Amino acid sequence: MIDFTGRTTTTLPRRWIHGQPRRSNVVDPPLQVHWVDAHTVMLRQSKQLTYEAPFLYLFFGNHTAVLLDTGAVASAEKMPLRRTVDQLIVEWAQQNGDDPALHPAVGEHEYRLVVAHTHGHGDHIGGDAQFAGRPHTTVIGRDLESVTAFFGFTSWPRQTVMFDLGGRVLEITGNPGHHDAALAIYDPWTAFLLTGDTVYPGRLYVNDMAAFVESLDALVTIAESHPVSHVMGCHIEMTTTSRLDYPVGTQYQPDEPPLQMSVEQLREVRDAAHRVKDQPGVHVFDDFAIFNGRCVGGMIRQVARARMNWLRSLLR
């Protein structure tokens, strides 16, 4: 049995694979796989296959692994997510001295996989169908009823529920505002605070500002009452230049900042949201932008910027 008491040492890559120039002949792998520590994996989907390039998280416990999000691409041929996760489970089992029968297609040892979501937007559930029929696997639905029923919420969203992977206990709370069934997850083992699309270095799209502000207040409370190593979202859309993002649709981002954010940056997002909560529209800050409401004008500008970037790439 692995002892998950205490806190591990984590490592994150200096740079993630971030796409290729339009005229490049280099083909990136569909998934970049990075072992954060011996029991935690992060995956990024290729920007050549999806400009969203979402990040996925795989946490191992003694009897259960949880995959958080399945990304933006449904095709198993283009995006072999299930095959990759199966291989990672076998590799983890072998590295930890467990029976290879942990592979769900072999033997009777029931090592469980739960496929959950930070929230239910299409770029986070695209690969769900790949896990249909997989033995010892539960794929949680995207709707609020499915999420609350599976995790046992009785007082959504401010209740914190514990989800035990076998000695590794995740703390899960509601995180609505961007999506009504969004979750925030705190993992004591890595001290990661996972925020989905609520907080990340990019454009924070707000569908319900009152819920968004309340969720940010709750995230800051968690961060101030727990040791947090990194605040971890699911996308990178900013550049390293203050207040400058890559426009929607960008598939080559050579000047990305790190995915991980600090607790201080989390507070900045919280404070900014409070300042603009009564001001619909686009509000740009150093490390993120808040899109409060439909923001039709802001999205038109995003499309125009994307078109200009595409035209410039043709001339290079």
Side-chain angles (χ1 to χ4, degrees), residues 147-298:
V147 171
T148 55
F150 179 84
F151 288 110
F153 282 97
T154 58
S155 182
W156 175 271
R158 293 284 70 87
Q159 179 184 7
T160 298
V161 298
M162 305 298 176
F163 186 55
D164 188 359
L165 306 181
R168 184 177 190 174
V169 182
L170 306 181
E171 301 179 20
I172 302 177
T173 190
N175 197 30
H178 174 71
H179 183 276
D180 64 351
L183 296 173
I185 299 103
Y186 176 71
D187 173 35
W189 174 246
T190 58
F192 283 1
L193 176 59
L194 274 62
T195 54
D197 280 5
T198 299
V199 178
Y200 65 93
R203 296 177 293 275
L204 310 180
Y205 297 104
V206 183
N207 294 317
D208 181 338
M209 179 53 87
F212 186 73
V213 169
E214 183 179 332
S215 290
L216 287 168
D217 287 340
L219 287 170
V220 170
T221 297
I222 293 169
E224 292 178 343
S225 59
H226 296 70
V228 171
S229 59
H230 301 295
V231 177
M232 304 294 284
C234 291
H235 302 279
I236 302 173
E237 294 166 349
M238 299 302 288
T239 71
T240 59
T241 300
S242 178
R243 303 174 68 87
L244 180 63
D245 65 330
Y246 286 103
V248 168
T250 302
Q251 292 187 277
Y252 176 50
Q253 299 186 171
D255 192 30
E256 289 184 340
L259 173 67
Q260 64 271 22
M261 299 178 77
S262 67
V263 173
E264 184 55 38
Q265 288 173 306
L266 172 62
R267 293 192 189 98
E268 290 171 3
V269 175
R270 186 269 316 268
D271 293 345
H274 275 277
R275 289 198 299 273
V276 305
K277 63 183 179 182
D278 298 322
Q279 304 171 40
V282 179
H283 306 275
V284 180
F285 301 90
D286 288 350
D287 303 318
F288 56 91
I290 295 177
F291 280 57
N292 183 3
R294 293 183 63 194
C295 302
V296 175

Side-chain angles (χ1 to χ4, degrees), residues 38-77:
H39 313 295
T40 310
V41 181
M42 291 178 62
L43 306 97
R44 190 188 197 182
Q45 294 193 332
S46 166
K47 288 197 71 70
Q48 291 176 318
L49 295 177
T50 166
Y51 73 87
E52 299 277 10
F55 290 84
L56 322 178
Y57 298 83
L58 181 62
F59 292 165
F60 291 98
N62 282 301
H63 59 60
T64 300
V66 62
L67 174 65
L68 293 165
D69 292 343
T70 61
V73 182
S75 169
E77 181 179 359

Side-chain angles (χ1 to χ4, degrees), residues 5-16:
T5 58
R7 175 177 156 188
T8 188
T9 298
T10 59
T11 60
L12 293 167
R14 294 184 62 185
R15 291 176 66 82
W16 293 93

